[in-house]
Amino acid sequence: MARPEEKAQNMMNKWVKMKEDGGAEGGGDPRSQRRPHLASLCEHLHDCEKWRRQIVREISDGISKIQNPGLGEHAIRDLNDQINKLFREKWHWNRRIKELGGPDYNYLERKQQMEEGDLQGGLGLKGSGGYRYFGAAKDLPGVKELFARHAAKISKRKRGDVYKYITPDYYGLRDEEDGVILELEEEHAKKRRAKYQKAREDYRQKLEEQRATVKAEGGDVDSLVALDWESDAEDEGLGGITGAADAIAAHVAVPTQEIVSKVILEQKKKELLER
């Protein structure tokens, strides 16, 4: 009576195996179903997602196995190396998925680890190239002492030790010694001088055109008041390093109180004549 159930279970097992190997339709070369050695060789986003899921399963299995301290020192070291290798491989597949238009798993995983406190439980040292220790590998001979020395070194560091390695370069006191900053400032100053010289020339030209128009219409030319920076004379000794032109250009030309009073008076006269 149990034979039909056994047949159904066997068929189900075959289908699951076929689904995991990526051959749900059946057929095909078995070698084509192997994970490529390089992520760049995969051209389809769906395949990249499949290989990434496969690596994640292998990492989970490896982390579960390495929790057993009875495996022996050599087996634990080999298994820990294999897990780190899978993590590096997963990073490359995550980058390939992003290149093909998929989600940025590297960013999402880092964000999740920061929010959840790195649930994978791997310990790593700064400057070790991302190598981490999992499970029983943390208690291997030499590993625990290595992390203990590193923690002691960090805890003993005081504020005075931090200030000890600060040089004048940190405060920007030596930026002008090589002359590069001075050359850049001089070049920038020349561009600003040329820019505002052109603005002054345009202002003079427009002012002359307005005067000619008012004179042709028989109006009062004196009502057109020129701003102070319309003059050709340059104020020397006001600009510091960049010169007088930059001292003028550094501020917006603001009319004086006398000019404002004249303009208001002219507007009131014009309003009275229009009545």
Side-chain angles (χ1 to χ4, degrees):
M1 294 296 292
R3 186 153 183 82
E5 296 180 1
E6 292 177 359
K7 286 184 177 181
Q9 186 65 35
N10 290 335
M11 184 64 68
M12 183 65 181
N13 293 337
K14 289 181 180 179
W15 184 85
V16 172
K17 184 68 168 62
M18 188 184 303
K19 189 71 174 178
E20 290 179 352
D21 294 339
E25 285 97 14
D29 187 4
R31 296 181 180 178
S32 63
Q33 304 301 331
R34 294 179 181 176
R35 187 167 70 231
H37 295 287
L38 297 175
S40 58
L41 299 177
C42 188
E43 300 294 338
H44 301 285
L45 179 60
H46 175 73
D47 294 337
C48 291
E49 294 276 4
K50 179 183 67 175
W51 300 131
R52 180 186 177 276
R53 288 194 297 269
Q54 186 183 80
I55 294 173
V56 171
R57 286 196 298 269
E58 293 178 5
I59 290 174
S60 301
D61 295 340
I63 292 177
S64 300
K65 293 178 181 178
I66 205 172
Q67 304 299 326
N68 183 11
L71 295 175
E73 179 181 347
H74 297 291
I76 291 175
R77 291 187 184 276
D78 292 341
L79 187 56
N80 195 77
D81 292 340
Q82 181 65 23
I83 294 173
N84 280 274
K85 180 181 177 182
L86 290 172
F87 268 106
R88 290 193 297 270
E89 189 175 355
K90 181 169 69 72
W91 186 88
H92 288 289
W93 282 105
N94 291 343
R95 185 179 65 176
R96 183 58 178 168
I97 289 173
K98 182 182 177 182
E99 292 175 355
L100 295 176
D104 189 358
Y105 285 111
N106 286 326
Y107 170 76
L108 296 176
E109 290 173 0
R110 285 196 303 270
K111 184 178 179 181
Q112 183 178 3
Q113 288 178 2
M114 292 175 62
E115 292 177 352
E116 300 180 1
D118 196 3
L119 297 180
Q120 292 170 339
L123 292 177
L125 288 174
K126 183 178 180 181
S128 60
Y131 193 88
R132 307 172 71 183
Y133 296 90
F134 299 88
K138 303 174 187 177
D139 300 326
L140 290 174
V143 177
K144 185 180 294 186
E145 292 80 1
L146 180 65
F147 281 97
R149 289 198 301 269
H150 183 69
K153 186 185 298 184
I154 294 176
S155 61
K156 289 181 180 179
R157 193 174 185 182
K158 299 180 181 178
R159 180 176 296 181
D161 298 331
V162 176
Y163 287 116
K164 186 187 300 182
Y165 298 101
I166 294 179
T167 62
D169 296 333
Y170 176 80
Y171 300 100
L173 300 178
R174 298 177 181 174
D175 292 344
E176 298 181 356
E177 290 185 357
D178 55 359
V180 176
I181 297 294
L182 297 177
E183 293 179 1
L184 294 175
E185 288 179 352
E186 182 63 26
E187 182 180 356
H188 184 65
K190 289 179 180 178
K191 291 181 179 179
R192 290 181 60 188
R193 283 195 292 268
K195 175 182 176 181
Y196 284 97
Q197 180 64 28
K198 185 177 183 301
R200 283 192 290 269
E201 293 176 357
D202 294 341
Y203 174 76
R204 293 193 192 100
Q205 184 179 358
K206 291 181 180 179
L207 187 61
E208 291 297 332
E209 292 177 357
Q210 291 179 1
R211 286 176 176 174
T213 304
V214 172
K215 189 175 181 180
E217 295 177 354
D220 187 8
V221 180
D222 296 334
S223 62
L224 298 176
V225 181
L227 296 178
D228 294 340
W229 62 284
E230 184 267 337
S231 176
D232 292 333
E234 292 194 5
D235 299 329
E236 297 181 358
L238 298 177
I241 297 176
T242 56
D246 282 343
I248 297 173
H251 303 281
V252 179
V254 179
T256 61
Q257 187 65 31
E258 183 181 357
I259 296 174
V260 173
S261 301
K262 289 183 179 180
V263 172
I264 294 175
L265 182 60
E266 291 295 332
Q267 289 180 353
K268 290 182 177 179
K269 289 181 179 180
K270 187 176 180 180
E271 292 176 358
L272 292 172
L273 292 175
E274 289 178 354
R275 291 179 184 178

